[in-house]
């Protein structure tokens, strides 16, 4: 295995848990549209871009809307989301993630963000961790949503590493598929029963360090 020189982190579900905010906002909108929206639907939307998430809901309800109405609905969803996400603070960092970022920085391992969210830079600021990242690729910069590998390929390029020298951390199946499609090493974050195709799945970064991650990656 090539030496790992960089790590790329997904944001929602890996660094901070904003899935609950996305759920509240999409539920509200789906309700207005008369479409049923369950927790399971929300799971399916993890890592999925805003526009593709709206299409999923419209599809579910058998609704066809014009482009202008869709834009208005996405703006509204984002307003609802931001009302909650704007309250994010350092306390919302998931357990162990900051210590892990500090360890990587001290080891000289490059750090990137690979998120589908257009709000990612603002959330990093609110969490107070922007300075850890040498590359931030977010939903504003990509044209193809996960499971396309574009978001991670752009990150690897900016971090000046080959894909096989780069480890991706992802909580969404679409993100794991994206990392695999790009030829990256990938570790899932969440439930091993529901995430497929990762080298290993960890519940989070609590009690994890670089040494234990490398062991998992090598299948030891
Ligand atoms: P926004 P990630 C993703 O972020 C979320 O998981 C997904 O639920 C959301 O729809 C998407 O960002 C777009 O977010 O509306 O803020 O642009 O997991 O890729 O960091
Ligand atoms: Mg995610």
């Amino acid at each position: 295995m090539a030496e790992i020189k960089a790590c790329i982190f997904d944001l929602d579900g890996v660094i901070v848990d904003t899935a609950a905010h996305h759920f509240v906002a999409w539920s509200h909108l789906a309700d207005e549209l008369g479409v049923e929206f369950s927790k399971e639907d929300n799971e399916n939307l993890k890592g999925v871009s805003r526009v593709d998430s709206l299409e999923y809901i419209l599809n579910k309800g058998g609704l066809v809307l014009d482009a202008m109405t869709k834009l208005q609905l996405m703006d509204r969803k984002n307003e609802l989301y931001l009302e909650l996400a704007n309250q994010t603070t350092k306390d919302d960092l998931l357990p162990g993630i900051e210590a892990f970022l500090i360890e990587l920085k001290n080891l000289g391992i490059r750090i990137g963000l690979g998120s589908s969210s257009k709000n990612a830079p603002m959330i990093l600021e609110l969490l107070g961790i922007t300075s850890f990242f040498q590359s931030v690729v977010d939903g504003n910069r990509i044209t193809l949503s996960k499971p396309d590998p574009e978001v991670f390929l752009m990150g690897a390029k900016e971090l000046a590493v080959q894909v096989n020298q780069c480890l991706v951390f992802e909580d969404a199946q679409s993100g794991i598929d994206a990392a695999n499609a790009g030829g990256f090493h990938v570790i899932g974050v969440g439930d091993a029963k529901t995430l497929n195709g990762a080298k290993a799945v960890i519940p989070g970064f609590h009690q994890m360090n670089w040494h234990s991650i490398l062991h998992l990656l090598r299948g030891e």
Side-chain angles (χ1 to χ4, degrees), residues 97-130:
I97 186 71
E98 194 175 20
F100 189 65
L101 291 172
I102 291 169
E103 189 187 3
L104 292 185
K105 191 179 170 190
N106 290 339
L107 289 168
I109 293 167
R110 287 164 231 170
I111 304 174
L113 190 89
S115 168
S116 304
S117 175
K118 294 186 172 181
N119 297 300
M122 182 206 88
I123 301 284
L124 287 185
E125 277 297 307
L126 291 172
L127 292 168
I129 56 168
T130 304

Side-chain angles (χ1 to χ4, degrees), residues 10-14 46-47 146 170-172:
D10 171 54
L11 179 65
D12 291 342
V14 170
K46 278 189 179 170
K146 298 168 186 174
E170 253 295 345
D171 73 312

